[in-house]
Amino acid sequence: MFFISHRGNINGPNPNEENKVKYILEALNQNYNVEIDVWYINNKFYLGHDEPLYEVNLEFLSNTKFWIHTKNLECFYRLGDTNLNFF
């Protein structure tokens, strides 16, 4: 069994920190899997729930403990040729 952090949250919502790389890494360091919101725009990946905010790369997204919520179709299609966990 494993626990999944939602956008990095492990103790309730924290909208000011959600989907920020540092916050996500803190949850990973506490042995959580993490659901993250990911956009793909102009050949770049971004984290952010309602809009693309924080640029990341495919190497960052390749963590097997991530559950990637694709926020636009371009992201879904771009991840289609990977072995990442995404929906």
Side-chain angles (χ1 to χ4, degrees):
M1 177 170 63
F2 52 84
F3 293 95
I4 301 175
S5 160
H6 186 240
R7 303 180 196 144
N9 296 315
I10 56 175
N11 292 309
N14 188 348
N16 293 329
E17 296 300 316
E18 294 174 358
N19 280 310
K20 289 184 179 178
V21 171
K22 181 180 176 188
Y23 196 57
I24 291 166
L25 293 176
E26 289 172 6
L28 289 172
N29 286 336
Q30 293 185 48
N31 208 32
Y32 284 85
N33 281 231
V34 183
E35 181 271 337
I36 55 176
D37 298 316
V38 180
W39 302 77
Y40 189 69
I41 297 174
N42 295 326
N43 298 315
K44 294 181 181 180
F45 291 102
Y46 296 89
L47 300 175
H49 178 65
D50 293 324
E51 61 184 317
L53 296 172
Y54 314 108
E55 187 177 340
V56 293
N57 58 33
L58 189 57
E59 182 180 351
F60 175 80
L61 297 176
S62 295
N63 190 312
T64 59
K65 290 187 170 192
F66 283 153
W67 299 85
I68 300 170
H69 180 183
T70 58
K71 299 300 282 187
N72 62 346
L73 281 175
E74 291 83 359
C75 187
F76 184 84
Y77 293 136
R78 174 62 182 89
L79 295 179
D81 62 349
T82 70
N83 291 324
L84 303 179
N85 299 316
F86 70 95
F87 59 97

